Amino acid sequence: MLRSLVVAASAATRAPPPPAPFRRLASTGAYGARLVALRHQLAVDDVDGDSSIGAFLPAADHTARSAAPFSTFGAVETVAAPPSTSANDADAPGGRWLSPNAPTSDRVDAYAHPRKPDWLRVRPAGDPVAATEYNRLRNTVRTAGLATVCEEARCPNIGECWGGGTATIMLMGDTCTRGCRFCSIKTSRAPPPLDPGEPAATAASVASWGLKYVVLTSVDRDDLPDGGAAHIAATVAALKAAQPDLLVEALVPDFGGSAGVQRVVAAGVDVLAHNVETVPRLQRAVRDRRANWDQSIEVLQRAKAAAPGILTKTSLMLGVGESVAEVREALSLLRAAGVDVVTLGQYLRPTPKHLKVEEWVPPSEFDAWVREAKAMGFAYAAGGPLVRSSYRAGELFLEHLIRGRRAESAAITEGERGGLAARAA
C-alpha cells in the first residue's frame, strides 16, 4: 500500500509531457538547432520509454514554438529558389520553391500514423530458387563463423539479397564501440579482440559463394590505435589474392579521423564507402558524439585523393526530421566533395529504445531525389523506402560501371601502344 502511494505521488508531481503535435514541431523545426545543446540528454530514455528528440525539449519551449512553421517536407516552408527554377515552382504545394526535379508529394507524420505504410511492408519472395540460395548462404555464414550486417543491423532486404546470393560481411566482430541512436548493433567500450584468422576465412567463404562483387563493412573499433584499418586492409588483400577479378566494396568507419582510409584504399578496394547517415544539422542527434559531418567528408575526400579513379559512396537516411532544403544541401555538399555514388532510404526504428521515426517518406519522393542527384552529377544514385547503403541492385550497377571503365581504359591504352608502335616503325 505504501509503495502504491509513493508511486502515485511521484506520478502526480511529474511534469506532464507536451502535447504530441508540439513535441514533433519542436523536434523537427528550425528550433532543432537546440539538438546540439541537448545531445547529452539523448543517451537516456525518459520515464515512459520515449526516445524521440522532441521529448527532451522543455514544455515551455513547445508552447513558444507551437505556432511557428517547421522545416519538414509536408509543412509550409519557403526555400531559396535554385538557379534552374521555373515559373510553375511558385505554385508548389505549401508555397515552397522547388527545383523541377524536387519531390512533389508530402510525407506522412509518423506520430499521427505510427504504423508502417504499405510501401514499407516486406513480402517474402515465392521463388524456390531464391529460397534455396538464401538457405545456402545462411549456412555458409554460420559454418564460417562470420558476422553479416544483414542480420546484425536487421536489414529489411535480407531476403532479396541473400536470395540473390549477396551478403554484406561485417568485419571485426559484432560489437561496436559507438552508440549511434539509429543502429541496433551491440555496443561496448571493450569489445572482444580481433580474430587474426578472419581475413583468410572471409576470403575462403567468398570464394565458395562464387561472387563477382562483395561488400565488406565493419563495426567501429575506437579501442584500436588505427581503428581497425590494418585488419580491413588485410581482408581486402586476402580477397584480391584469392580472386584477382573480384570487385570489393568496403563500407568503412571514420577511423577516428586518422589516415586509416588510405591503407584500405592501398589494399586494392574498388569502391570506398562511408556513410554520413543524415544531414549536417542532425549529426549530433542521430550519430554517436565521436562522429560528425566534416570528419565523414574528410574520409571520403582522403580516399579519392589516395586513388582518384576509385568510386566513393555514401548514404543518407530520411525521415529523422530533415527538411527538403537540408537534403538538397547535403547532396550538393557530397557532390562538391567528389562523392560518386549516393543512396537514400527510409529510417526504420529497430527497437523501442532507438530514435523515433519522424516521418514516413513515400516512394515518389525518393524517385525525385534520385533524379535530382543524377542531375547534380552523381555517377549513380539509388533511393527508395527500403534502399540501404549495401543494396544488391546498386552492386550490380557498380559492377557493370567499374568493369566498363576498366575495359574502356584498357582499350585506350592498347590504342596508344599501337600508335606508338606505328610511329616507331
Side-chain angles (χ1 to χ4, degrees):
M1 180 68 180
L2 180 60
R3 181 178 180 180
S4 300
L5 291 174
V6 171
V7 171
S10 63
T13 57
R14 185 185 305 150
F22 292 172
R23 92 189 318 169
R24 178 172 177 271
L25 290 174
S27 67
T28 58
Y31 205 49
R34 290 203 55 193
L35 294 174
V36 175
L38 297 169
R39 179 61 182 85
H40 67 281
Q41 294 179 316
L42 297 179
V44 181
D45 292 337
D46 64 0
V47 291
D48 63 355
D50 191 341
S51 302
S52 69
I53 297 171
F56 298 98
L57 293 172
D61 296 338
H62 293 276
T63 303
R65 284 287 170 177
S66 61
F70 58 101
S71 299
T72 56
F73 188 84
V76 177
E77 81 176 306
T78 302
V79 180
S84 59
T85 53
S86 64
N88 295 329
D89 292 333
D91 299 325
R96 292 168 299 203
W97 288 93
L98 302 173
S99 70
N101 294 325
T104 57
S105 60
D106 288 339
R107 301 181 180 186
V108 177
D109 185 343
Y111 284 80
H113 305 280
R115 292 178 62 87
K116 292 180 182 178
D118 288 340
W119 63 72
L120 282 170
R121 302 194 183 282
V122 180
R123 296 170 177 81
D127 184 1
V129 176
T132 300
E133 185 63 21
Y134 176 93
N135 291 326
R136 184 186 73 84
L137 190 54
R138 182 184 61 181
N139 292 337
T140 304
V141 169
R142 298 286 191 278
T143 302
L146 299 176
T148 67
V149 74
C150 317
E151 294 176 296
E152 300 297 334
R154 305 184 184 187
C155 180
N157 301 313
I158 187 170
E160 178 184 353
C161 292
W162 283 30
T166 300
T168 299
I169 300 171
M170 190 165 67
L171 304 175
M172 303 194 293
D174 60 358
T175 305
C176 186
T177 54
R178 298 190 183 180
C180 296
R181 301 193 70 239
F182 63 87
C183 184
S184 65
I185 293 175
K186 293 185 294 185
T187 62
S188 173
R189 293 181 179 178
L194 298 181
D195 176 8
E198 185 175 48
T202 300
S205 295
V206 171
S208 70
W209 295 340
L211 302 179
K212 296 182 178 179
Y213 191 108
V214 67
V215 180
L216 304 175
T217 187
S218 74
V219 293
D220 279 278
R221 292 297 298 262
D222 298 291
D223 58 315
L224 302 175
D226 67 346
H231 191 84
I232 298 174
T235 305
V236 173
L239 288 166
K240 290 289 188 176
Q243 295 176 261
D245 194 43
L246 178 70
L247 298 181
V248 180
E249 174 182 328
L251 175 58
V252 300
D254 58 26
F255 303 114
S258 70
V261 66
Q262 284 98 317
R263 192 164 188 174
V264 177
V265 171
V269 71
D270 301 288
V271 180
L272 192 289
H274 175 72
N275 291 341
V276 295
E277 307 295 2
T278 186
V279 299
R281 177 177 64 89
L282 296 175
Q283 292 283 312
R284 294 291 300 276
V286 173
R287 304 175 74 186
D288 184 271
R289 60 180 176 78
R290 288 162 287 189
N292 60 75
W293 178 272
D294 291 338
Q295 187 165 272
S296 292
I297 292 296
E298 185 178 2
V299 170
L300 296 163
Q301 289 178 322
R302 282 182 171 180
K304 183 68 77 173
I310 200 174
L311 287 177
T312 52
K313 176 181 176 182
T314 195
S315 183
L316 285 167
M317 297 182 299
L318 302 187
V320 294
E322 70 290 332
S323 70
V324 167
E326 288 175 323
V327 176
R328 182 175 294 116
E329 178 194 27
L331 291 173
S332 179
L333 292 172
L334 291 170
R335 190 68 198 104
V339 177
D340 302 296
V341 180
V342 64
T343 62
L344 303 98
Q346 167 74 56
Y347 165 63
L348 298 176
R349 191 185 194 188
T351 75
K353 293 292 185 181
H354 288 81
L355 187 72
K356 277 191 173 181
V357 178
E358 295 288 324
E359 293 170 312
W360 305 116
V361 184
S364 57
E365 182 179 334
F366 284 107
D367 293 341
W369 284 124
V370 169
R371 291 194 299 271
E372 188 154 341
K374 290 180 178 178
M376 289 181 179
F378 286 93
Y380 178 70
L386 296 176
V387 168
R388 295 297 179 263
S389 177
S390 304
Y391 191 58
R392 185 166 178 262
E395 294 165 15
L396 295 175
F397 178 88
L398 293 180
E399 178 186 354
H400 177 76
L401 177 63
I402 294 170
R403 296 193 189 281
R405 284 184 176 182
R406 290 181 178 175
E408 182 180 349
S409 178
I412 293 174
T413 302
E414 188 63 29
E416 291 175 348
R417 289 175 180 173
L420 290 173
R423 285 194 294 270

